[in-house]
Structures are given as structure tokens and as C-alpha cells.
């Protein structure tokens, strides 16, 4: 990324972008096209939602966290009729609840959900929700895979996901600035009926340009070049190994925080983030601040109503065992500073047990 930029209309960029497009299909486990948008993951999701619906259409929105609920907010902003499937934060959605919503709204055009709900650390049953959607309706499944793709299996074609969105700054380990929208071939016909106002976030416009290995507008050139390198590295590692690495780091992190007396928040934990409750009377923001200021380790706090008691430790992308051990050591130190009855070394010992068991 520190190298001199290349011209995005020149032959060198075209060659890089052609390879990148093919590698993105591999990463998303799909045969359909993956369109790269210069925006964050939210922009990619909005482009998909407006490409394949029409104003006044009904969409079924699976909640359960800040990001799952965001897609309903985006839909409402574009004059869609949003039917919310309420899910308690920290719980995974029941596919039967989605099926029930579709039976009550047989003309629904799409079902939206976040596969990996980063605000709560939950991984939702995506395959089962897609199956329920196909059984009950002709609605499209538009899935936020921003913190799921490249973390754990998300076989788009196998599960029948119609649209799968991801972003550069998560498992792809590139700074924010690119969103990827993978679209099953049959879905593009739905774009013909869309009447949403679109220009920059016009997914069809971008698809047409990218079929010529170009972009409709000036892309984030440095991010594209970095991504091309990362995708080669990911290909060398292999998807099975990538998933296994994330699984190991997640299990070690969960074991470590539980050894410190913290309670996991997610009913079905995602492998991208470990969310845990901080024991009273300690406040989660104090833990986050102490880890950052005294131990040089940054983690995330809770969002909205979860802010007072939730911490979130990310282990997505370019992380390894030493990163997890450093984070757990800092967490142990912060809790000790704040007066929690922590057994020294408990978190590190629990995590190391996970790592050593993987080696046998």
C-alpha cells in the first residue's frame, strides 16, 4: 500500500483486477459474480438492497443486534415495508420465526440478516434460515457476511444464499474502503424491476463495468492492490486452514475469558468476536480504557444498552496465538487493576490448553 499508485484505467490495474475478481469468487464459495464497491460494508449492503427491490416492497429483517437491525433501517430509508423478526440480543434467531414471518407476508421480496452479529458475538443459523426462506416463499436471502466470510464456512452456492456481502477490513485484513457483493446468477433478473434512485451505489452499473475488468468510478486503488496480495496469501493457506485457525483462536479466547470468571454473552458464539459480560460492580468501559491506556491493547466495548457490562475481543483476520495470549494477559491485568478477584495466569493457562490440545 505504500508503493506508488498505478493508473486505474491502465493495463496493469486491469490485470490485477481480473485476478482479484476470480479470487473473490473462491473466497465467497460462489459461482456467481462478486462486485467490488468502493465503500464500507454498509454501502455494499445498501447497494444490494436497492438493486433487487422496489419501493413499497416488503422485506423481512432479522434483528438480534445493532447490525442486523441496521438493515431494516436502511430498508425503511428506501421506502421499503420492513417486517422485523425480533431476536433477543445475545440469542441466535429461530428459523421458524423467519418462516412464520414469511407465511404472514407471502409477498415478501427479501429476507435480510447478519450471519455473524458483531455487536453480540452471535453466529446465526444461516443455512437453516435460507432453507426456511426457500420453503415458505420466493424471497431473496440478502446476507451480511461482513464478519463471517473468511472466518467460518459460508458456502454461498451450497446454502442457497442469493446475495452475500462482505468487507475489506475484516477477515481480508485490508483497511476499510471496499465492499464485496456476491450475487447468484438468477438474482440479476430482479434488478430490472428496481425503481430506487441510484448512481454511485448502482450495483448493476458496477457489474457491467467490472465484467470488463474495470470499475465504474475511481476505486480505492491502494486497497485493491493490497487485497490482491492478501487473496493470494489466503489461497496459499486454504479455506479449511483459515476456518480452523479462526476456530482455534475463538475457542482459546472463550476459554480464557471464562477462566477469569466472565460469562459469554452469545448463545451460539461466532468465531470472529468473543463477547463477554464483565462482573459487577466493574464497568466494561473502564476495562476497555484500562487495557488500552495501561497495557496497550485495544478491544471493543458493548453497544447501546450493552455498553455498561459488555466487552468484545476480536480475533478475525491476521491474528495468531500470540495475539490472543497478549489480549488475555492485558484483560487479566486490567481486571486486577479494577479490583476483580482474578487468579493470576488463569486466562493464559486456559488458552494454552486449547492451543496445546490442537498440536496433539
Amino acid at each position: 500500500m505504500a508503493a506508488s499508485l498505478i493508473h486505474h484505467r491502465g493495463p496493469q490495474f486491469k490485470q490485477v483486477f481480473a485476478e482479484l475478481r476470480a479470487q473473490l469468487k473462491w473466497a465467497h464459495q460462489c459461482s456467481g459474480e462478486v462486485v467490488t464497491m468502493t465503500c464500507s460494508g454498509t454501502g455494499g449492503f445498501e447497494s444490494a438492497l436497492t438493486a433487487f427491490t422496489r419501493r413499497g416492497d416488503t422485506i423481512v429483517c432479522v434483528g438480534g443486534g445493532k447490525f442486523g437491525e441496521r438493515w431494516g433501517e436502511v430498508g425503511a430509508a428506501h421506502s421499503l415495508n420492513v417486517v422485523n423478526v425480533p431476536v433477543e440480543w445475545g440469542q441466535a434467531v429461530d428459523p421458524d420465526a423467519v418462516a412464520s414471518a414469511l407465511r404472514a407476508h407471502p409477498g415478501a421480496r427479501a429476507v435480510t440478516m447478519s450471519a455473524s452479529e458483531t455487536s453480540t458475538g452471535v453466529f446465526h443459523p444461516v443455512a437453516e434460515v435460507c432453507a426456511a426462506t426457500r420453503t415458505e416463499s420466493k424471497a431473496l436471502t440478502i446476507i451480511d457476511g461482513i464478519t463471517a466470510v473468511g472466518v467460518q464456512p459460508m458456502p454461498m452456492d451450497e446454502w442457497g444464499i442469493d446475495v452475500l456481502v462482505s468487507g475489506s477490513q475484516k477477515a481480508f485484513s485490508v483497511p476499510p474502503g471496499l465492499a464485496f457483493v456476491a450475487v447468484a446468477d438468477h438474482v440479476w433478473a430482479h434488478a430490472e424491476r428496481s425503481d430506487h434512485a441510484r448512481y454511485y451505489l448502482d450495483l448493476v452499473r458496477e457489474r457491467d463495468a467490472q465484467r470488463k475488468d474495470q470499475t465504474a468510478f475511481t476505486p480505492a486503488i491502494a486497497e485493491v492492490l493490497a487485497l490482491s496480495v492478501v487473496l493470494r496469501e489466503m489461497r496459499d493457506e486454504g479455506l479449511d486452514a483459515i476456518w480452523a485457525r479462526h476456530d482455534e483462536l475463538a475457542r482459546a479466547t472463550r476459554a480464557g475469558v471464562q477462566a477469569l470468571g466472565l460469562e459469554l454473552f452469545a448463545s451460539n458464539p461466532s468465531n470472529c468476536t468473543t463477547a463477554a459480560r464483565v462482573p459487577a460492580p466493574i464497568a466494561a468501559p473502564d476495562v476497555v480504557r484500562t487495557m488500552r491506556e495501561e497495557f496497550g491493547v485495544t478491544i471493543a466495548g458493548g453497544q447501546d444498552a450493552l455498553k455498561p457490562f459488555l466487552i468484545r475481543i476480536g480475533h478475525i483476520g491476521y491474528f495468531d496465538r500470540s495475539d490472543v495470549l497478549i489480549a488475555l494477559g492485558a484483560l487479566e491485568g486490567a481486571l486486577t487493576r479494577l479490583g476483580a478477584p482474578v487468579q493470576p495466569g488463569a486466562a493464559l493457562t486456559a488458552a494454552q490448553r486449547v492451543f496445546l490440545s490442537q498440536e496433539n
Side-chain angles (χ1 to χ4, degrees):
M1 292 186 71
S4 297
L5 293 181
I6 62 175
H7 182 32
H8 64 285
R9 298 301 184 214
Q12 186 180 357
F13 181 88
K14 192 171 183 179
Q15 181 179 352
V16 169
F17 200 61
E19 178 189 349
L20 181 145
R21 291 178 64 227
Q23 298 284 42
L24 283 172
K25 287 187 177 186
W26 168 81
H28 290 78
Q29 299 176 270
C30 68
S31 55
E33 294 184 74
V34 183
V35 182
T36 298
M37 309 290 289
T38 302
C39 58
S40 70
T42 299
F45 202 97
E46 182 169 0
S47 73
L49 199 59
T50 56
F52 304 123
T53 64
R54 185 180 180 87
R55 284 178 288 182
D57 279 351
T58 294
I59 64 169
V60 173
C61 174
V62 175
K66 189 175 184 68
F67 298 102
E69 293 174 6
R70 173 180 292 181
W71 311 133
E73 295 170 1
V74 173
H78 288 282
S79 301
L80 297 175
N81 175 37
V82 179
V83 175
N84 290 304
V85 178
V87 180
E88 182 183 351
W89 285 33
Q91 300 298 309
V93 68
D94 183 350
D96 288 340
V98 179
S100 178
L102 289 168
R103 286 193 295 270
H105 302 274
R109 288 287 177 181
V111 172
T112 67
M113 67 179 295
S114 289
S116 174
E117 178 53 70
T118 323
S119 66
T120 64
V122 168
F123 187 79
H124 289 290
V126 180
E128 292 82 355
V129 168
C130 289
T133 301
R134 288 194 302 274
T135 298
E136 298 294 341
S137 72
K138 295 182 179 179
L140 300 175
T141 49
I142 305 179
I143 307 298
D144 160 12
I146 294 168
T147 57
V149 174
V151 176
Q152 49 202 100
M154 288 287 294
M156 181 173 174
D157 288 354
E158 180 184 334
W159 287 356
I161 299 172
D162 294 308
V163 182
L164 180 60
V165 180
S166 61
S168 58
Q169 77 275 26
K170 302 301 182 182
F172 294 101
S173 307
V174 174
L178 299 176
F180 315 114
V181 185
V183 182
D185 288 337
H186 69 93
V187 175
W188 290 109
H190 291 262
E192 297 175 4
R193 61 181 296 278
S194 174
D195 63 351
H196 294 289
R198 303 184 307 280
Y199 192 82
Y200 184 74
L201 294 180
D202 187 337
L203 197 64
V204 175
R205 184 197 299 264
E206 277 294 351
R207 177 206 63 182
D208 292 345
Q210 293 181 25
R211 283 177 173 174
K212 302 173 185 176
D213 297 324
Q214 282 287 355
T215 56
F217 306 100
T218 304
I221 301 170
E223 278 81 357
V224 168
L225 296 176
L227 179 65
S228 68
V229 174
V230 169
L231 284 169
R232 289 189 213 112
E233 293 177 346
M234 290 176 70
R235 195 70 184 249
D236 289 343
E237 184 176 2
L239 283 177
D240 288 339
I242 290 170
W243 298 331
R245 173 167 55 84
H246 280 89
D247 178 69
E248 180 194 63
L249 297 181
R251 288 188 295 106
T253 306
R254 292 195 287 264
V257 298
Q258 288 177 297
L260 295 175
L262 277 63
E263 177 188 354
L264 297 180
F265 187 69
S267 62
N268 184 44
S270 166
N271 285 345
C272 84
T273 307
T274 295
R277 290 177 178 268
V278 173
I282 295 172
D286 290 339
V287 175
V288 174
R289 176 185 52 77
T290 303
M291 287 183 67
R292 182 181 64 248
E293 294 180 358
E294 294 196 32
F295 297 93
V297 173
T298 298
I299 64 169
Q303 296 183 320
D304 296 344
L306 307 183
K307 188 173 182 178
F309 62 84
L310 199 72
I311 61 169
R312 295 177 295 147
I313 301 175
H315 29 74
I316 178 174
Y318 196 68
F319 278 81
D320 60 18
R321 292 175 173 181
S322 63
D323 295 308
V324 167
L325 295 175
I326 290 170
L328 290 173
L331 175 60
E332 183 178 290
L335 289 171
T336 301
R337 284 274 198 277
L338 295 169
V342 171
Q343 180 181 352
L348 301 178
T349 300
Q352 286 282 38
R353 286 199 184 103
V354 173
F355 294 148
L356 292 172
S357 69
Q358 290 294 98
E359 294 176 354
N360 297 326

